[in-house]
Amino acid sequence: MYEEYYQVLTEDQKSAYFERIGLKYDGQTKLTRQYLDQIIKAQLRHIPFDDADVWANGAWPSLAIPDLFHKIIEQKRGGYCYELNSLFCRLLKDLGFDAYLVIIHLYRPDIKFNAPAHCGVIVTIDGKKHFADVGYGGPVPDGCVEFGGKLDNNHKQMTDGVYTVVASQNADGSFLPRFKFKDMPCDPVELVPLNFHT
């Protein structure tokens, strides 16, 4: 029933994705941190955050890979977190990266409990985990953030009990938590009810 949420991208689709973000796909997989950062930066510069379908039309966008590919790559549209990060994670997996989606709570210090309303991607490279996000409609790292607490793309990963936290650095050197999540892989179909709710 949800097979289309797991559909792999063909070589032609990967090439079209790369063209959409201003890069050339040569079929060579370079599973490095630098390559991941290059893809993230290119996507952030070429594919906008866009929730117009929801606000203007009251639509509930599909998260099926063929639908996402048609909208974002072929129609040259944008999308919001569930759309952009779902397709981005699919691309990374099909390039050979060890990548999975995570469900995210947007960090609100004034709200103790808030429902998850976002998703991101965790990518493991050379045994080290990295947080990646190309679908947030606000300040987001301009590349990946390596787990381990070091400053990375003006952000750092920390822990908060059972949660992993990604925080951005303020001008005064302090850190503002932005995302918190349990580092547990999420199946694409788990985003379906969240997509509807959000």
Side-chain angles (χ1 to χ4, degrees):
M1 178 174 173
Y2 290 105
E3 293 84 1
E4 66 274 16
Y5 287 65
Y6 299 85
Q7 185 170 314
V8 300
L9 299 176
T10 66
E11 290 298 301
D12 286 345
Q13 287 176 317
K14 286 186 268 187
S15 182
Y17 195 124
F18 269 65
E19 184 178 330
R20 172 78 171 93
I21 62 175
L23 298 176
K24 181 163 178 55
Y25 177 67
D26 59 8
Q28 302 296 316
T29 305
K30 310 170 199 111
L31 304 180
T32 64
R33 159 70 190 267
Q34 293 73 24
Y35 189 48
L36 176 60
D37 276 349
Q38 180 184 18
I39 297 168
I40 293 170
K41 288 176 183 174
Q43 173 139 348
L44 290 173
R45 283 161 178 74
H46 290 87
I47 301 179
F49 179 89
D50 169 8
D51 58 1
D53 285 340
V54 176
W55 290 105
N57 306 321
W60 176 24
S62 169
L63 298 183
I65 295 300
D67 296 336
L68 293 175
F69 186 85
H70 177 67
K71 176 184 176 183
I72 296 166
I73 306 305
E74 294 176 336
Q75 292 187 321
K76 300 190 181 339
R77 299 265 319 274
Y80 59 93
C81 61
Y82 299 128
E83 297 173 294
L84 296 174
N85 281 324
S86 291
L87 188 60
F88 179 68
C89 186
R90 180 75 263 165
L91 173 71
L92 294 182
K93 289 168 82 75
D94 292 343
L95 291 174
F97 280 103
D98 177 2
Y100 57 86
L101 292 162
V102 289
I103 295 170
I104 295 177
H105 298 258
L106 297 176
Y107 204 101
R108 295 280 307 274
D110 55 324
I111 299 176
K112 185 167 184 171
F113 301 105
N114 61 338
H118 189 51
C119 72
V121 182
I122 304 301
V123 185
T124 302
I125 302 170
D126 295 331
K128 296 178 182 175
K129 291 187 178 185
H130 301 76
F131 173 78
D133 188 350
V134 296
Y136 184 57
V140 66
D142 193 24
C144 62
V145 178
E146 185 180 319
F147 282 29
K150 71 174 190 174
L151 187 63
D152 223 353
N153 288 303
N154 204 39
H155 288 70
K156 75 174 182 175
Q157 175 270 333
M158 306 179 296
T159 57
D160 178 12
V162 297
Y163 289 98
T164 291
V165 175
V166 174
S168 61
Q169 187 174 36
N170 296 317
D172 66 2
S174 63
F175 286 89
L176 175 66
R178 294 209 175 268
F179 312 107
K180 73 177 188 176
F181 55 92
K182 294 175 182 171
D183 183 18
M184 298 169 44
C186 158
D187 275 327
V189 295
E190 292 180 77
L191 297 179
V192 173
L194 291 175
N195 187 41
F196 177 77
H197 170 75
T198 303

